[in-house]
Amino acid sequence: MTRAQPGNHDDSHAVLQRIAGYRGAPPPGACPVRDVLDRVGQKWTLLILAGLETGPARFSALQRAVGDISKRMLTQTLRQLERDGLISREVFPTKPPSVEYALTPLGRSALAPIAALMDWAETHHDRIRDARAAYDAAEG
Amino acid sequence: MTRAQPGNHDDSHAVLQRIAGYRGAPPPGACPVRDVLDRVGQKWTLLILAGLETGPARFSALQRAVGDISKRMLTQTLRQLERDGLISREVFPTKPPSVEYALTPLGRSALAPIAALMDWAETHHDRIRDARAAYDAAEG
DNA sequence: CTGAATCCGACTTGATACTG
DNA sequence: CAGTATCAAGTCGGATTCAG
């Protein structure tokens, strides 16, 4: 594939530059980058994707896996991800109804770049912490 | 070190799984991943980083480059990025005061994983658009 | 069990006006 | 030029309650 290797500096620049062209473009959907990044930045999106990574899960199982998410937010985030085609939703008409969520191939393909970003975060978070401490000490 | 290769599927999983351990951990700074992702998800962060990518820029130049950002938000985002050590701020005591912002090495190192994510977004945004159209048509 | 609906507080963003 | 201060509006998220 011709996709940029995440570690490739030159390609990174080319991609970064591209978003500049979207400035001042209000219509939603005009900037897929903004679109995806906004979703990634949402509080629960990553936790849910992580929770589905090992396999399909039901609503309650997911809620337990994520931890302190409310049903409201779980439902909402799940809907968004489903709408974006990142996860699938299957209803089983059992006596107590159960619903199973699972990553789609598209959803699974998103894990790699997301993991890259999280990896960067883990690698550099101590440096960031230091920078914050220094900044706060200076102007706190 | 043993950092995951962003494109490596197996390692991606390992990294993803790691965030599950942070569930239910309220204290800020406890989860560097959440921390960084939240910042990335903010509306203007990426545009500003992109604007600084080609080199240092002054406040107004940056505002023009980004587009429709208000001074308030520009200042705020700039401060956060400075605090995190991703950008530097230098004041020149000229007659009309001027301030120049620039990416630090740390900030520059963040561009690669961010670009990887944006690359994914661009590669798959048509698929996402289709999924949304289908979803909206079905339950609109 | 899986959600939908409602209420409400907290945080985010923007517009505007003012300062050094 | 480069901000700061203030206010208004919108959004996000949680708790609670109700329904299929």
Side-chain angles (χ1 to χ4, degrees):
Chain A
M1 52 171 168
T2 59
R3 274 192 305 154
Q5 291 298 320
N8 183 317
H9 218 273
D10 290 329
D11 275 344
S12 301
H13 289 204
V15 175
L16 239 336
Q17 283 303 333
R18 238 174 292 160
I19 92 178
Y22 292 116
R23 59 176 172 61
C31 180
V33 173
R34 266 256 57 77
D35 231 48
V36 171
L37 265 334
D38 283 351
R39 194 94 56 240
V40 168
Q42 288 188 321
K43 197 171 181 180
W44 303 109
T45 303
L46 293 187
L47 279 314
I48 289 176
L49 289 180
L52 288 175
E53 188 189 9
T54 54
R58 297 218 315 283
F59 188 87
S60 305
L62 216 39
Q63 186 172 23
R64 254 174 288 114
V66 170
D68 55 352
I69 190 174
S70 65
K71 283 188 291 190
R72 186 199 191 310
M73 280 297 103
L74 182 56
T75 301
Q76 188 175 96
T77 310
L78 245 17
R79 286 284 182 278
Q80 287 181 337
L81 292 174
E82 184 195 358
R83 192 172 100 100
D84 289 350
L86 298 183
I87 66 175
S88 61
R89 176 176 181 272
E90 190 178 5
V91 180
F92 294 94
T94 53
K95 247 288 283 327
S98 71
V99 181
E100 215 175 65
Y101 295 91
L103 285 174
T104 62
L106 181 61
R108 192 162 290 278
S109 77
L111 294 181
I114 289 173
L117 193 57
M118 300 200 310
D119 186 51
W120 182 91
E122 292 215 331
T123 302
H124 298 285
H125 86 275
D126 50 345
R127 199 176 299 259
I128 291 177
R129 270 181 23 116
D130 290 351
R132 285 182 186 176
Y135 183 94
D136 292 346
E139 350 207 347
Chain B
M1 73 142 108
T2 59
R3 272 193 305 153
Q5 290 298 322
N8 182 317
H9 217 273
D10 291 329
D11 276 344
S12 301
H13 289 203
V15 175
L16 239 336
Q17 284 303 332
R18 235 174 296 159
I19 93 179
Y22 292 115
R23 60 176 171 61
C31 179
V33 173
R34 267 258 55 78
D35 229 49
V36 170
L37 264 336
D38 284 351
R39 193 92 61 237
V40 168
Q42 288 189 317
K43 197 170 181 179
W44 302 110
T45 303
L46 293 186
L47 278 315
I48 290 176
L49 290 180
L52 289 175
E53 188 189 9
T54 54
R58 297 216 314 282
F59 188 88
S60 304
L62 217 37
Q63 187 172 24
R64 252 174 288 113
V66 170
D68 55 353
I69 189 174
S70 66
K71 282 189 286 191
R72 185 191 187 324
M73 279 299 102
L74 182 56
T75 300
Q76 188 174 101
T77 310
L78 245 17
R79 287 283 182 280
Q80 287 181 337
L81 292 174
E82 185 195 357
R83 192 172 101 100
D84 288 351
L86 297 182
I87 67 176
S88 61
R89 176 175 179 273
E90 190 177 4
V91 180
F92 294 94
T94 53
K95 247 286 286 326
S98 72
V99 180
E100 215 174 65
Y101 294 90
L103 285 175
T104 62
L106 181 61
R108 194 162 288 278
S109 77
L111 293 182
I114 290 173
L117 192 56
M118 299 200 310
D119 185 50
W120 181 89
E122 292 215 333
T123 302
H124 298 285
H125 87 275
D126 51 344
R127 199 176 298 259
I128 291 176
R129 269 182 23 116
D130 290 351
R132 286 184 185 175
Y135 183 94
D136 293 346
E139 345 210 350

